[in-house]
């Protein structure tokens, strides 16, 4: 029996489904987390063969001892994953220390975690990227701005999501940002674009066994910084150009045996980087799109990506198919806003379309809102009407 160590299997809450499908495929599923066992969901407990609680997943020595214990008890570890951006480096370090060869190692982290390094591999795939510089001095930043103009975007070179990402529009804001003594930031030219993603499950040969994608029409950075509502949708079919560049990037980054979420800009206007509609590289995420996105993929494609991913792990292929296609819309409403339609109104209007209503964990709420709604629609026009009603506020 193959052994699979799942790091932090309780977060996000829906990730127990990955564990269940692994176990259904005959793997021994061993969890490591800092959540007390009694606080794990009933579904997760039933999906794990054993759980090792540590006081903190940040404590490298404790997590090391947890993996060592599982090796002592069950033998060789075949897989170790969290499917979580925050723990990717820890995953890689544990694989390196214990010679687990089924995923990224320490040496691979720079190209899949550092935004500056990602650009090299995007270019290897034949894609343009936003120009950038490392944030070091005021003079160096001003030299870069003289080339690209205001506004510019500053973000951690090694960051998670849109956390600590800002738009700077003048010298005063630049000086204020630099006065905060930022470390490890890059500065990029501003790109007027929506975000299109390539989401795929890749087998050991670097070939996709499932593909989809989403559209984020509004900057996640603005959502976080302005405490705004969140919205994006899963498309009913991947755009042909996004599918094409996504596959090229899988090869360029050397992706194997992974669930990936690769982000691209689609230009909304003619600008120095390219013409309106052109696809430009943004960044890669070597894990599933966050939060409830796997469930959205299921709703949009009438399928089960948890099972497809577990089949990739167990068999390197899958017999799971897709069915009827939909647009799957996500709305994350922000607490404190005076919405025109309350939840009861929305359920009355869209009850047949709504799949889930739930509260967002605090750890994800900055980017995803406080109360989330998932709904499916056959046409884009129907989905846009839903968004209008969901976000309308009283005057």
């Amino acid at each position: 029996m193959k052994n699979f160590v799942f790091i932090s299997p309780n977060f996000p809450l829906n990730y127990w489904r990955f564990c269940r499908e692994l176990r259904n495929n005959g793997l021994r599923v061993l969890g490591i987390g800092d959540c007390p066992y009694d606080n794990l969901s009933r579904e997760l407990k039933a999906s794990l063969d054993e759980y090792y609680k540590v006081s903190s997943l940040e404590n490298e020595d404790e997590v090391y001892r947890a993996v060592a214990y599982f090796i002592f008890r069950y033998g060789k570890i075949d897989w170790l994953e969290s499917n979580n951006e925050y723990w990717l480096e820890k995953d890689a370090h544990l694989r390196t220390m214990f010679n687990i060869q089924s995923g990224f190692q320490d040496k691979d982290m720079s190209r899949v975690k550092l935004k500056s390094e990602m650009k090299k591999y995007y270019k290897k795939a034949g894609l343009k990227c936003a120009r950038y510089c490392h944030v070091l001095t005021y003079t160096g930043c001003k030299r870069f701005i003289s080339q690209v103009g205001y506004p510019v975007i500053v973000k951690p070179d090694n960051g998670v999501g849109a956390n600590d990402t800002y738009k700077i529009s003048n010298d005063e804001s630049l000086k204020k940002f630099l006065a905060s003594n930022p470390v490890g930031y890059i500065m990029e030219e501003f790109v007027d674009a929506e975000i299109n993603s390539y989401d795929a499950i890749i087998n050991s040969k670097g070939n996709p066994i499932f593909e989809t994608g989403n559209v984020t029409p509004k900057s996640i950075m603005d959502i976080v910084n302005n405490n705004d509502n969140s919205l994006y949708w899963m498309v009913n079919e991947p755009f042909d150009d996004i599918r094409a560049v996504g596959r090229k990037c899988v090869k360029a980054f050397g992706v194997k045996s992974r669930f990936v979420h690769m982000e691209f800009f689609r230009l909304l206007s003619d600008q120095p980087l390219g013409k309106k509609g052109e696809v430009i590289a943004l960044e890669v995420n070597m894990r599933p799109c966050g939060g409830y996105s796997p469930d959205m993929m299921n709703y949009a494609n009438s399928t089960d990506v948890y099972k497809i991913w577990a089949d990739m792990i167990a068999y390197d292929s899958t017999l799971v198919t897709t069915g009827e296609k939909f647009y799957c819309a996500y709305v994350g409403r922000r607490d404190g806003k005076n919405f025109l339609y309350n939840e009861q109104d929305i359920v009355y209007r869209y009850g047949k379309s709504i799949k889930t209503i739930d509260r967002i964990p605090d750890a994800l709420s900055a980017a995803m809102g406080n109360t989330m709604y998932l709904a499916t629609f056959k046409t884009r026009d129907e989905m846009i009407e839903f968004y209008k009603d969901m976000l309308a506020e009283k005057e």
Side-chain angles (χ1 to χ4, degrees), residues 6-239:
F6 206 114
I7 304 294
S8 188
N10 59 296
F11 187 84
L13 296 177
N14 48 329
Y15 276 23
W16 67 268
R17 293 182 171 89
F18 286 122
C19 297
R20 178 188 63 188
E21 297 306 331
L22 288 171
R23 200 172 189 207
N24 286 343
N25 280 350
L27 280 77
R28 181 183 288 117
V29 186
L30 309 167
I32 300 175
D34 51 20
C35 178
Y37 180 78
D38 288 344
N39 292 349
L40 300 180
S41 70
R42 173 178 53 82
E43 294 90 349
L44 178 56
K45 289 177 182 177
S47 302
L48 297 174
D49 289 275
E50 188 168 353
Y51 180 74
Y52 190 114
K53 184 199 175 293
V54 295
S55 64
S56 171
L57 285 170
E58 303 282 4
N59 188 317
E60 184 173 313
D61 182 61
E62 277 194 273
V63 178
Y64 180 94
R65 284 189 279 115
V67 178
Y69 164 77
F70 283 145
I71 292 173
F72 171 77
R73 183 168 172 80
Y74 298 108
K76 176 178 176 287
I77 302 301
D78 300 282
W79 295 85
L80 185 147
E81 291 284 357
S82 66
N83 277 345
N84 191 315
E85 182 76 20
Y86 189 81
W87 301 118
L88 283 186
E89 288 171 294
K90 182 175 291 293
D91 294 349
H93 191 51
L94 289 168
R95 290 191 207 100
T96 301
M97 288 192 294
F98 288 102
N99 193 32
I100 302 168
Q101 295 298 312
S102 55
F104 289 126
Q105 308 290 303
D106 283 339
K107 62 182 174 60
D108 301 309
M109 280 296 97
S110 62
R111 77 174 187 273
V112 299
K113 283 292 292 177
L114 298 183
K115 294 175 174 64
S116 57
E117 290 294 310
M118 292 176 191
K119 293 178 184 292
K120 299 176 184 178
Y121 291 87
Y122 268 132
K123 289 179 179 178
K124 183 179 177 181
L127 288 169
K128 299 176 185 176
C129 302
R131 290 170 287 179
Y132 81 102
C133 73
H134 289 278
V135 174
L136 299 173
T137 65
Y138 177 78
T139 301
C141 290
K142 282 292 291 180
R143 186 182 305 116
F144 175 73
I145 292 168
S146 71
Q147 299 171 14
V148 303
Y150 281 119
V152 291
I153 304 298
V154 290
K155 61 177 77 170
D157 197 9
N158 185 357
V160 178
N163 293 333
D164 301 313
T165 299
Y166 310 101
K167 182 191 290 186
I168 293 178
S169 300
N170 52 54
D171 288 354
E172 182 181 352
S173 296
L174 175 60
K175 290 175 182 177
K176 184 178 179 180
F177 172 72
L178 292 173
S180 68
N181 297 313
V183 176
Y185 275 74
I186 64 170
M187 177 179 288
E188 292 183 336
E189 64 182 307
F190 175 75
V191 181
D192 177 27
E194 68 177 17
I195 297 175
N196 290 187
S197 77
Y198 173 75
D199 298 86
I201 298 172
I202 309 298
N203 68 13
S204 67
K205 300 177 181 63
N207 298 321
I209 61 173
F210 171 79
E211 296 171 300
T212 188
N214 66 45
V215 173
T216 305
K218 187 172 186 176
S219 165
I220 297 294
M221 174 190 68
D222 290 338
I223 292 169
V224 172
N225 293 335
N226 300 333
N227 197 36
D228 208 348
N229 303 304
S230 177
L231 67 131
Y232 70 101
W233 63 85
M234 207 65 59
V235 297
N236 59 351
E237 282 290 344
F239 300 122

Side-chain angles (χ1 to χ4, degrees), residues 280-322:
I280 306 297
L282 176 52
E283 62 186 62
V284 296
N285 300 277
M286 296 299 177
R287 42 72 181 173
C289 187
Y292 291 87
S293 293
D295 299 306
M296 294 174 65
M297 296 175 196
N298 287 345
Y299 292 134
N301 295 279
S302 302
T303 193
D304 186 346
V305 298
Y306 301 103
K307 170 65 173 169
I308 296 172
W309 177 82
D311 285 354
M312 177 272 292
I313 296 293
Y315 314 121
D316 207 30
S317 62
T318 187
L319 297 177
V320 177
T321 59
T322 58

